Amino acid sequence: MDKLTDYRPFEDGHMTRRARAGRSTAKRIVLMVFGISALAATLGLGYRLGHSDPALPDWIPLRLAAMLGSHHSQPAGSGPVIYYRDPDGKALYSKDARTTPDGRSYVAVHASEDVSFDNPPETAASAQDANSGAKRILFYRNPMGLPDTSPVPKKDSMGMDYIPVYEGEDDASTIQISQGKLQRTGVRSEPASLRTVTRPVRSPGTIKLDERRVAVVSLRAQSFIESVENVTTGDHVTKGQPLLRLYSPDVAAAGAQYLSIVGDGGGTANLAGRKQLIDGARRRLENLAVPADVIAEIDRTKTVPLTITWTAPRDGVILERTAVEGMRAMPGDVLFRLADTSVIWVIADVAEQDIDAVKIGAAATIKVRSLPGRGFKGSVALIYPQVNTETRTTKVRIELPNPDGVLLPDMFADVEIASGAEKPVVAVPNGAVIDTGARQIVFIDKGEGRFEPREVKVGTRGEDYTEVREGVGEGDRVVVAANFLIDAESNLKSALRAFTDGEKSK
């Protein structure tokens, strides 16, 4: 030891302890600053994660990702944009790009990502639950209906999950379709219900006069027309209205004979014989169609008039006039022809295949082209018992009132005859019935994408609904739209089953 160096053992120990204490304090300060910085960084990261929802790498555990409020990264979608969904995962969708009320854009969903409508992927836990429950998964089939199956869950080339087929579902009478495919193709069903099924039979027609309301004015004896009243074709006349005056030698002779018998007292010895003579003479006048008022005038005046006034036999429109002043009319000549048009006929030509649907008394609606927008109501009065060999139609007579006379003979008309069941029957929409030619089939919606083809017997087919006589009961849900998809699935399944059975039999 150097002599010049002072030896201070207590002072050296004291300085060493002070230096150590200083270094420990500095270390604690550094650690405190680092802890505060780490806490600030963690808080900033948590705030950013809570507001940006970034995707985390796959190596981060799911529990930690859930605690951080984020999710694992997903591969980028491929294919065209199918639709847009709400960014918060709500059940809101749009076919076009749009934004939320707070200004955030909807998320585009590509073809490979369109799995929201399909069945969720089967997990091991759910598979164990299914195996332990009443139903057991047999296999997984292609969601697009392709002949491809898998013993384990998988996805197709578009990212769609294969559909599980449970025990008891893989039978010949049931078709299973994914919910996503059903919604995308617009498959819709509704229950069969009791309805009155009507089917109007449409046919052309022609307006005709009621044959029972047509009358002619003719004479039964040779006569000469003295004068004709001021009536002509198209005029409307009433019953008893004068039409013409005539002179008939036969009528005059019969009237003179009647007066002579009536005026001859002949005593009271043979009253019965005299009465017979009077009745015979009067009957001769009646046989010559002498009007009753003319015979009454002869009885009153005891004279035979030189000319006789001939009147209209009924109300109607004059269709034809041939009487001319001064002419000689022979027995049977038609001097006037008139018809009552207050009730008319419509002769409809109904097609042969529709004649069975037309019934006597069925309501009919008549429309004519000269009166657009106006319809006339009538009823079927007669179905003619013959078919036209050239047109393959049957004539149907419809009677309807024509009080204002706007319907004229020989007009063309459009006829619509009501037909169908008179009481409610079980009916389904027309689109629900698939007619193969040999049989008719409907698809029963059994729920959860399962459908059963069922053969039915149909009755009356109306404009909107078809009567089902056998195969479907009231309340059964039937597919009414896009059932071609289910029919294609059924045909494909049948073909694959036949192929499989053929392979097994070899």
Side-chain angles (χ1 to χ4, degrees):
M1 177 177 298
D2 190 356
K3 294 180 179 182
L4 297 178
T5 301
D6 295 333
Y7 177 70
R8 297 175 181 179
F10 294 99
E11 291 183 5
D12 290 343
H14 180 70
M15 292 297 298
T16 300
R17 286 193 299 270
R18 291 182 60 185
R20 290 179 178 175
R23 285 196 298 272
S24 177
T25 301
K27 183 183 295 186
R28 284 196 299 270
I29 293 174
V30 171
L31 292 176
M32 185 179 298
V33 172
F34 180 79
I36 293 174
S37 300
L39 178 61
T42 303
L43 293 176
L45 178 61
Y47 179 83
R48 184 175 180 182
L49 290 176
H51 287 75
S52 62
D53 192 22
L56 297 179
D58 294 338
W59 52 268
I60 295 180
L62 291 175
R63 183 171 299 178
L64 179 58
M67 294 175 59
L68 294 177
S70 184
H71 56 82
H72 286 87
S73 60
Q74 297 291 340
S78 60
V81 176
I82 304 299
Y83 57 89
Y84 296 82
R85 63 175 176 83
D86 186 87
D88 296 329
K90 299 178 181 179
L92 299 175
Y93 305 92
S94 172
K95 67 176 183 178
D96 301 319
R98 59 178 296 185
T99 58
T100 60
D102 56 1
R104 291 178 296 152
S105 299
Y106 270 45
V107 179
V109 178
H110 297 267
S112 62
E113 302 170 325
D114 183 27
V115 295
S116 59
F117 293 122
D118 290 331
N119 297 329
E122 187 74 17
T123 61
S126 61
Q128 292 177 0
D129 294 339
N131 292 333
S132 61
K135 291 186 177 181
R136 182 173 59 88
I137 297 178
L138 299 178
F139 57 89
Y140 298 81
R141 64 179 182 84
N142 190 284
M144 300 303 293
L146 299 178
D148 182 21
T149 61
S150 172
V152 296
K154 62 178 293 187
K155 295 180 179 291
D156 64 359
S157 58
M158 298 179 60
M160 300 175 63
D161 294 299
Y162 272 47
I163 301 173
V165 177
Y166 294 92
E167 185 177 12
E169 293 183 353
D170 185 35
D171 53 62
S173 61
T174 303
I175 300 99
Q176 180 80 28
I177 300 178
S178 66
Q179 294 293 334
K181 187 188 296 185
L182 293 179
Q183 296 196 22
R184 286 191 294 272
T185 53
V187 175
R188 181 169 52 87
S189 62
E190 67 179 55
S193 58
L194 291 176
R195 298 178 182 271
T196 301
V197 180
T198 59
R199 177 177 66 90
V201 176
R202 297 181 176 89
S203 63
T206 306
I207 297 176
K208 297 292 183 181
L209 292 171
D210 187 342
E211 298 172 356
R212 300 165 298 187
R213 297 174 180 267
V214 178
V216 296
V217 176
S218 63
L219 305 176
R220 298 180 182 180
Q222 179 178 331
S223 305
F224 297 89
I225 307 300
E226 291 288 335
S227 64
V228 181
E229 298 295 331
N230 187 23
V231 291
T232 184
T233 303
D235 290 343
H236 188 275
V237 296
T238 59
K239 184 178 181 179
Q241 179 178 340
L243 297 179
L244 54 86
R245 293 185 65 85
L246 58 85
Y247 166 73
S248 174
D250 294 337
V251 173
Q257 182 182 7
Y258 175 69
L259 277 180
S260 65
I261 297 174
V262 172
D264 184 10
T268 58
N270 192 7
L271 292 178
R274 183 173 177 273
K275 185 177 183 303
Q276 290 180 355
L277 291 175
I278 293 174
D279 290 343
R282 186 182 183 90
R283 181 61 57 83
R284 185 181 178 189
L285 289 174
E286 293 174 351
N287 290 341
L288 292 174
V290 178
D293 57 345
V294 174
I295 297 176
E297 183 70 15
I298 294 174
D299 288 337
R300 186 179 63 83
T301 62
K302 299 298 189 282
T303 59
V304 179
L306 183 63
T307 60
I308 300 174
T309 300
W310 223 259
T311 59
R314 68 184 312 145
D315 296 346
V317 177
I318 295 178
L319 305 177
E320 182 183 1
R321 168 185 163 171
T322 60
V324 179
E325 186 175 339
M327 68 173 289
R328 183 181 69 172
M330 300 302 293
D333 289 348
V334 177
L335 303 179
F336 287 91
R337 183 171 177 265
L338 52 93
D340 181 5
T341 59
S342 61
V343 176
I344 54 119
W345 289 352
V346 176
I347 306 300
D349 295 319
V350 179
E352 184 178 1
Q353 64 268 21
D354 295 331
I355 197 63
D356 183 60
V358 179
K359 306 299 180 183
I360 300 294
T365 302
I366 312 299
K367 295 182 180 180
V368 295
R369 299 173 185 176
S370 60
L371 299 171
R374 183 175 178 182
F376 300 87
K377 301 296 183 180
S379 60
V380 176
L382 179 67
I383 301 174
Y384 287 77
Q386 59 188 22
V387 176
N388 190 315
T389 57
E390 296 180 357
T391 60
R392 308 309 305 173
T393 58
T394 298
K395 294 186 179 300
V396 175
R397 189 173 75 201
I398 301 167
E399 294 183 4
L400 67 157
N402 183 32
D404 49 2
V406 295
L407 298 176
L408 306 178
D410 297 325
M411 273 185 171
F412 287 110
D414 296 323
V415 182
E416 186 175 288
I417 304 173
S419 66
E422 298 180 356
K423 59 181 180 180
V425 295
V426 177
V428 298
N430 292 340
V433 181
I434 299 178
D435 194 342
T436 64
R439 58 178 183 168
Q440 291 80 35
I441 296 174
V442 300
F443 286 96
I444 304 298
D445 188 353
K446 303 178 72 173
E448 299 181 356
R450 300 168 61 240
F451 301 91
E452 175 191 352
R454 187 177 297 176
E455 185 174 355
V456 296
K457 290 185 179 180
V458 300
T460 303
R461 186 180 182 90
E463 285 190 308
D464 301 317
Y465 291 88
T466 299
E467 175 189 1
V468 179
R469 297 178 178 175
E470 294 182 11
V472 173
E474 182 182 3
D476 290 344
R477 296 193 65 87
V478 297
V479 179
V480 299
N483 47 7
F484 65 91
L485 167 67
I486 306 174
D487 186 40
E489 288 275 352
S490 177
N491 294 335
L492 176 61
K493 185 174 182 179
S494 299
L496 291 176
R497 180 174 286 102
F499 177 78
T500 303
D501 294 342
E503 290 293 331
K504 292 180 180 179
S505 63
K506 291 182 180 180

